[in-house]
Amino acid sequence: MRTSLRVPALAVAGVLALTSLTACGGKDSGSAGKGDQVKIMVGGLDKVIYLPAMLTERLGYFEDEGVSVQLLTEPAGVQAETALVSGDVQGTVGFYDHTLDLQVKGKQVESVVQFSQAPGEVEIVSNQAADTLKSAKDFKGKKLGVTGIGSSTDFLTKYLAVSNGVRTSEFSPVAVGAGQTFISALQQGSIQGGMTTDPTVATILDKKLGKVLIDMRTPEGSKEALGGLYPSSSLYMQTEWVNSHKETVQKLANAFVRTLKWMSTHSADEIAEKMPADYAQGGGKALYAQAIKSTLPMFTTDGVMPADGPATVERVLKAFNPNLKDAKVDLAKTYTTEFVDKAK
């Protein structure tokens, strides 16, 4: 069983991360004893939206590039972000929107490989609340699950609320994580709905515990809900570190772009076969493959930032975030295509 590694436990995180990789059948890249050494914190290794991280490991592409990568995991992107800013890891696989949030806080972070062009998120409503929660206009007075307060699910939930006439003070975001903790909260009535990803979505639908309210797993779904493409999952790193380790960053970009291209030419079933069995979260191989199939449209094939994506993210964040509302954001400093352009 995979262990979620918390930031306070980073003193032992390297050992635990390597143990988890070996336990799920992945290559023990961290113990290779050669090549560049990089620690990457992922905002939930078993989430389909972050699938390229472990898939790259399983395909052996890090090893091919001569880079030794330790993949660590946190249940929410905001916790993965904390690990990066504190210097405990060199990279984070999480949502691009954190780069904007961090910039206005004086931290320069940039996306170096853009995995996706849509959030990959789904707003779920429980069966019990389905009659009173039919759209984002009905968020008022509801308890809505997010992975963590300050996470991208929290950001997106707040945007959906304010863009539909509901103030952020009129509903309660509840940090319930993902997977079984999210499902339990939904079953127990601790939340009436919430934002989550596959394979949690697939499990909820399979068990008939809830319904899809808003689907942002595709570019079309992103445009409908958010008014444009919303680049989300990415490899982002501190700009200073990127500039001083360009050779290593290029190796990472080469590996991840190769994975994205591999994903675009293989079926969901073939992708599922490469992933650790426990990532299915007890739903079985077929259900896990279906979860991947539902989410695949969100991914880029080349790691390049969508042209209008950063502007959409800025507009969304400024709609509800007081720290960003009147701040000047230099979008050009929140991402780079230098490395993915060379990888292509």
Side-chain angles (χ1 to χ4, degrees), residues 42 86 107 114 140 168 177 217 232 248 329:
V42 185
S86 65
K107 305 292 184 181
Q114 193 59 47
K140 185 175 181 179
T168 57
R217 290 176 291 187
S232 56
T248 301
V329 179

Side-chain angles (χ1 to χ4, degrees), residues 79 95 100 115 117 164 187 234 237 316 326:
Q79 294 161 333
F95 268 41
L100 280 72
F115 295 163
Q117 56 188 332
N164 284 276
Q187 285 180 296
S234 65
M237 314 179 89
V316 166
D326 298 316

Side-chain angles (χ1 to χ4, degrees), residues 2-41:
R2 184 163 304 281
T3 303
S4 293
L5 306 177
R6 303 283 182 166
V7 172
L10 280 171
V12 296
V15 175
L16 291 175
L18 293 175
T19 301
S20 68
L21 285 174
T22 304
C24 69
K27 296 182 179 180
D28 189 356
S29 63
S31 61
K34 60 181 179 179
D36 303 323
Q37 303 284 327
V38 180
K39 291 181 181 179
I40 297 177
M41 184 68 79

